[in-house]
Amino acid sequence: MTKEEYVASIRELEEIITKYREQEKRLKEQYINENKLFEVNEKVKITTPAFRRAIPDENGRRYMDEECKYGFVEDYEVDNQGNIKYILARMNATGKKSQHRTYYTDLDVLEKVKE
């Protein structure tokens, strides 16, 4: 195999890979658009139920109170299991969208906030 043949083969492979990545991107966008629960810039309430949070101590487990926080949907992504994950911005003290992110787990409950 010569250098020219090698370079031509690599370019062909890169074109094929690019096509499949574009197709994957379109599929993710279509999946998100058809299955998302919240729109971008929509306010959501993130509730961490008390029974799902425990602190171990010398007496065993002590359950913490339920925690609620608010955020705004910035973007979406799809994880390896096909679940839609929301990228959330924190709500600041004035009730507006912050530059900082807020995070949630699979155990947390996300609800749409009606204003």
Side-chain angles (χ1 to χ4, degrees), residues 11 13 19 23 26 33 42 46 51 53 56-57 63-64 68 75 78 81 83 86 104-105 107 109:
R11 285 189 182 142
L13 285 175
K19 280 191 237 177
Q23 183 179 359
R26 284 193 307 272
N33 288 334
E42 191 167 30
I46 306 159
F51 66 91
R53 300 177 68 210
D57 61 3
Y63 290 99
M64 297 175 66
C68 294
D75 202 4
V78 179
Q81 287 79 33
N83 300 319
Y86 300 96
Y104 67 97
T105 66
L107 300 176
V109 179

Side-chain angles (χ1 to χ4, degrees), residues 39-46 69-76 86-93 95-104 110:
E39 298 295 326
V40 173
N41 292 325
E42 191 167 30
K43 189 175 178 181
V44 294
K45 179 180 178 182
I46 306 159
K69 57 185 176 181
Y70 294 90
F72 293 89
V73 177
E74 280 193 326
D75 202 4
Y76 314 98
Y86 300 96
I87 298 173
L88 302 175
R90 191 181 301 168
M91 185 176 79
N92 61 20
K96 296 186 178 176
K97 186 176 175 180
S98 173
Q99 295 290 332
H100 301 284
R101 294 247 169 103
T102 187
Y103 300 94
Y104 67 97
L110 297 178

Side-chain angles (χ1 to χ4, degrees), residues 8-57:
S9 297
I10 292 296
R11 285 189 182 142
E12 287 176 23
L13 285 175
E14 287 174 349
E15 289 174 10
I16 292 170
I17 291 169
T18 302
K19 280 191 237 177
Y20 282 118
R21 284 190 178 146
E22 289 172 1
Q23 183 179 359
E24 179 186 22
K25 184 178 175 183
R26 284 193 307 272
L27 284 172
K28 281 184 180 181
E29 287 174 1
Q30 180 182 359
Y31 175 69
I32 288 171
N33 288 334
E34 291 177 5
N35 296 296
K36 65 185 174 185
L37 300 174
F38 310 108
E39 298 295 326
V40 173
N41 292 325
E42 191 167 30
K43 189 175 178 181
V44 294
K45 179 180 178 182
I46 306 159
T47 306
T48 304
F51 66 91
R52 294 189 176 156
R53 300 177 68 210
I55 300 175
D57 61 3

